Amino acid sequence: MSGNLYAAIPAVIARLRATLLDQAVEVDSTAIDPLKIIDSYAILAGQPSLLPYAPGVYVTLDATDAESPSANGQTIIEQRRLIVSVCVPHIPAAGSMSTESIAGAYAYGALQALKGFRPANGHGPMKYLGAGLPVFYKSGAAEFPLYFDCQQTII
């Protein structure tokens, strides 16, 4: 038997890489750095700062819900929640080049790349659930999470 409960993660990363890498991003007609695609959240573990990876995007898992609609319990349907986080340098200024406006431009690109995307066999389309609260780090980085839901059928 073969399978992968986490097949959606590399598929989402590949989709982001194919659609966002080297894509020109502008905020109020001003070009900003292209987004770095971080291949694994594990790369960031233990790092003292996210700044070397910013502007960047990475994918992590959130909690899931599962149900077994078949009478014998053999089929499982899981609501797989994924967090797509955009990390940018924190610019403590208001206006068009603020941290939020820059993160918002990158987040919009990620949302456009992923809405309706089917990450792997047995997965339904990704549905955008909304944005989480931003996190501002002392190191000078800010993280903006986007939440997606994707149904996975496990047989």
Side-chain angles (χ1 to χ4, degrees):
M1 179 178 171
S2 66
N4 184 347
L5 284 178
Y6 308 117
I9 295 172
V12 168
I13 292 168
R15 173 72 171 196
L16 291 170
R17 183 176 307 289
T19 55
L20 297 181
L21 196 63
D22 299 325
Q23 183 181 52
V25 179
E26 292 185 358
V27 174
D28 285 347
S29 301
T30 301
I32 54 179
D33 292 335
L35 196 61
K36 298 172 188 166
I37 311 298
I38 301 166
D39 288 322
S40 171
Y41 181 69
I43 292 170
L44 304 175
Q47 295 295 322
S49 173
L50 296 177
L51 281 178
Y53 302 95
V57 62
Y58 55 89
V59 181
T60 56
L61 292 172
D62 198 4
T64 62
D65 296 318
E67 63 180 68
S68 184
S70 61
N72 63 4
Q74 293 298 309
T75 300
I76 300 167
I77 297 176
E78 184 174 68
Q79 290 299 123
R80 169 72 59 202
R81 280 183 225 108
L82 298 163
I83 305 169
V84 177
S85 292
V86 172
C87 179
V88 297
H90 176 47
I91 301 168
S96 64
M97 293 305 286
S98 69
T99 302
E100 290 82 1
S101 61
I102 292 170
Y106 292 125
Y108 181 79
L111 173 58
Q112 292 302 313
L114 296 176
K115 67 179 183 179
F117 173 64
R118 291 179 181 265
N121 285 339
H123 288 74
M126 292 185 69
K127 298 175 187 172
Y128 179 60
L129 301 176
L133 294 173
V135 178
F136 294 88
Y137 297 99
K138 289 180 183 179
S139 66
E143 182 178 8
F144 293 79
L146 304 173
Y147 293 91
F148 290 87
D149 197 13
C150 181
Q151 190 175 73
Q152 179 178 9
T153 302
I154 305 163
I155 299 174

